[in-house]
Amino acid sequence: MAINKILEFIHKHTNVIYENSLILQNIDKFILCFILLTFILSTFVSSDMIGYFAICTAGLTVVRILFTPKDSFKLETFELFLLAYFMLVLVSVAGSSLLNLSLKGFMKTLIYLTFYISVVHHLKYNKKSIIPILITISGCVTFESLLGLTQSFAKVDEISGWQDVSNLNPEEVITRVYGTLKPLNPNLLGGYFVMTIPALIGLFGYYLNKKQYLISSISALCSVLACVVLFLTGCRGAYIGLFSVLCVTFAVSLKIFWAKYKKLFMTVAGIVSAIGMFALMAVTPLRVRIFSIFSMRNDSSNSFRFNVYKSSFQMFKDNWLVGIGQGNQNFREVYGLYMKTGFDALSAYNIYLETAVESGIFALIAFVGFLLKLLYDGIKSILKTDNIEDIILITIPVLTIVGTMVHGMVDTVFFRPQLQIVFWTMCAILSNRLYAND
């Protein structure tokens, strides 16, 4: 790559600075600290503050690239889809009728992608950072789980109308927990759980394989707690996302345990399924909430989404080539021209429709192509390898991506920074495990 030749030239002139700077020689430690701080702070600070820490991470990465000898870039095949997506987003922004608003949305996308590049580059030279990153993510979701459980027992009041209770008896109404993620919203917390629970499940398997049973048991308990609190969010899209995560977990577990522990595996799977079915039948608010998914137009939330989908699809039809431009503010301004009276919306409530509306059909194809190629290579690697540790570390990000793609069919909390930071980090971890040794 031409950029690597340029870097070689730069390194010849910056090598002296690197050799005499203790900070530059330890810059990877600073980068890791900022990555971890971004996760921790994202649980309670504003979106702008999360962005600042992501920018700092990217800035330190640029410094590392410029001053560290033998640093280089390598563009993987699946990242060509991401590059195409980025270029198409640029075109959509340039063609937007609301350029200022679209630029604000584009800057967020740019920050997320540079954070992804930063994590990819850091892990390229620091594979051991994967476990600290996963532990930090697990710590954050465990904190949110404990807080969510507390909110449930305290029966916190809703901040806004989060569920249709017009046809429900008081005992059928679920107390929807929302944690600390800003803006406070149970759907946001549900989406966060879908993305982060795979880290807990993965650490359970990782430490079980290492025969560190205490840490493994703690991870298992935290996984169960997080799943329980996910249901307490009342986010039905997260329910579907979690179901997809558990299905993939079950499929991968078959590969690991079936040959040697067939009877034990079937027993455990049967017990877990029985507990799940008992909870579904015994806990009335949960049963009512899940069954409301199939109520179609009889549920006001479902009906609202159908109206938004219809209007958003019309927006896409009128702007199918390059879209309307980036960002939820830009979306809302244009959506006002299409919406059904009384059904205002901040987004399309579907990440694929949202991407198509904002950036056009080809940007959608590029984005989905990026995810599918990454998933395809991940699943192929899981099927081919017999190394348990590799299987686990590949499965964790695969679970996050699958859960996100499924949940994203009915919601757009994916675009919130707390979720974006986790999602792109998982993509970076998967990239590292698949291609770092090429």
Side-chain angles (χ1 to χ4, degrees):
M1 292 176 67
I3 190 171
N4 288 330
K5 293 183 179 180
I6 296 173
L7 285 176
E8 287 180 12
F9 175 78
I10 294 174
H11 292 157
K12 288 180 181 179
H13 295 81
T14 59
N15 189 49
V16 175
I17 300 175
Y18 176 83
E19 290 178 350
N20 291 278
S21 173
L22 188 63
I23 293 177
L24 288 176
Q25 291 173 15
N26 291 277
I27 196 167
D28 283 330
K29 296 178 181 177
F30 291 100
I31 293 174
L32 178 60
C33 284
F34 270 91
I35 292 173
L36 301 183
L37 278 173
T38 303
F39 293 129
I40 295 169
L41 294 176
S42 70
T43 58
F44 59 88
V45 302
S46 66
S47 298
D48 290 342
M49 188 61 69
I50 298 171
Y52 295 148
F53 272 81
I55 291 170
C56 288
T57 304
L60 287 172
T61 301
V62 171
V63 172
R64 187 201 194 286
I65 291 169
L66 294 177
F67 288 91
T68 304
K70 297 182 179 180
D71 209 330
S72 62
F73 275 106
K74 181 182 179 183
L75 190 66
E76 301 295 343
T77 303
F78 78 98
E79 290 175 329
L80 292 174
F81 286 102
L82 191 59
L83 179 61
Y85 168 74
F86 179 75
M87 299 305 294
L88 290 164
V89 165
L90 276 177
V91 173
S92 73
V93 171
S96 175
S97 58
L98 299 170
L99 184 59
N100 288 337
L101 292 178
S102 190
L103 278 173
K104 290 181 180 178
F106 170 73
M107 290 306 298
K108 294 178 183 179
T109 300
L110 181 62
I111 290 171
Y112 300 145
L113 292 181
T114 53
F115 185 81
Y116 162 76
I117 294 170
S118 300
V119 179
V120 167
H121 202 74
H122 175 77
L123 294 181
K124 179 180 178 180
Y125 300 98
N126 303 274
K127 290 184 181 181
K128 293 182 178 180
S129 293
I130 291 177
I131 298 303
I133 288 174
L134 293 175
I135 290 173
T136 302
I137 293 173
S138 298
C140 291
V141 67
T142 300
F143 168 77
E144 292 295 335
S145 300
L146 293 170
L147 184 61
L149 197 62
T150 302
Q151 290 177 339
S152 179
F153 280 116
K155 295 190 179 299
V156 291
D157 295 329
E158 294 182 355
I159 297 176
S160 60
W162 286 334
Q163 61 181 319
D164 183 359
V165 298
S166 57
N167 298 316
L168 300 180
N169 296 321
E171 65 273 12
E172 295 176 332
V173 178
I174 189 172
T175 299
R176 301 190 65 185
V177 303
Y178 45 81
T180 62
L181 305 183
K182 295 182 179 180
L184 301 177
N185 188 305
N187 288 348
L188 175 57
L189 183 61
Y192 184 76
F193 278 131
V194 170
M195 284 196 183
T196 53
I197 284 175
L200 284 170
I201 295 174
L203 287 180
F204 160 67
Y206 179 83
Y207 285 111
L208 183 64
N209 183 56
K210 294 279 188 183
K211 293 182 171 55
Q212 297 183 27
Y213 299 118
L214 177 60
I215 302 177
S216 180
S217 299
I218 293 172
S219 298
L221 289 173
C222 291
S223 299
V224 173
L225 175 62
C227 289
V228 169
V229 178
L230 181 148
F231 282 105
L232 295 177
T233 66
C235 178
R236 296 170 298 175
Y239 294 173
I240 301 170
L242 178 63
F243 180 73
S244 67
V245 167
L246 295 179
C247 285
V248 176
T249 302
F250 177 80
V252 175
S253 299
L254 281 175
K255 173 180 173 61
I256 298 174
F257 297 111
W258 187 257
K260 295 182 178 180
Y261 306 102
K262 181 178 178 179
K263 291 184 178 179
L264 177 62
F265 180 81
M266 293 303 296
T267 301
V268 172
I271 292 173
V272 171
S273 299
I275 292 174
M277 289 302 296
F278 175 78
L280 177 61
M281 300 307 296
V283 183
T284 300
L286 176 61
R287 183 179 69 254
V288 171
R289 189 65 181 163
I290 291 176
F291 285 167
S292 70
I293 295 173
F294 310 101
S295 297
M296 305 305 285
R297 286 283 185 178
N298 292 325
D299 181 87
S300 63
S301 180
N302 293 349
S303 185
F304 172 78
R305 276 170 166 75
F306 291 143
N307 288 324
V308 174
Y309 293 154
K310 184 177 179 180
S311 299
S312 298
F313 187 71
Q314 187 61 49
M315 290 171 66
F316 165 66
K317 285 171 62 179
D318 292 345
N319 304 274
W320 67 272
L321 186 59
V322 296
I324 63 172
Q326 287 270 293
N328 65 299
Q329 293 181 12
N330 183 67
F331 176 93
R332 190 171 188 180
E333 290 293 327
V334 179
Y335 179 80
L337 303 174
Y338 292 84
M339 75 175 186
K340 184 176 179 179
T341 304
F343 291 90
D344 190 14
L346 295 174
S347 66
Y349 288 95
N350 180 297
I351 61 174
Y352 310 105
L353 184 55
E354 180 88 13
T355 301
V357 167
E358 290 187 357
S359 306
I361 185 64
F362 295 109
L364 173 63
I365 292 171
F367 178 68
V368 173
F370 163 77
L371 295 178
L372 292 180
K373 173 60 177 171
L374 195 53
L375 278 180
Y376 173 78
D377 289 346
I379 293 170
K380 185 171 70 172
S381 181
I382 291 171
L383 293 174
K384 287 175 61 177
T385 185
D386 291 321
N387 186 300
I388 302 298
E389 183 174 317
D390 283 344
I391 291 174
I392 292 169
L393 293 179
I394 291 171
T395 299
I396 293 171
V398 165
L399 292 176
T400 292
I401 295 171
V402 169
T404 300
M405 293 180 73
V406 172
H407 183 198
M409 293 179 181
V410 293
D411 212 335
T412 45
V413 290
F414 167 75
F415 294 106
R416 297 300 307 175
Q418 297 92 337
L419 275 64
Q420 286 279 301
I421 293 300
V422 175
F423 176 79
W424 289 111
T425 299
M426 289 297 189
C427 289
I429 291 173
L430 184 53
S431 172
N432 178 268
R433 301 307 302 180
L434 294 177
Y435 313 114
N437 296 322
D438 286 359

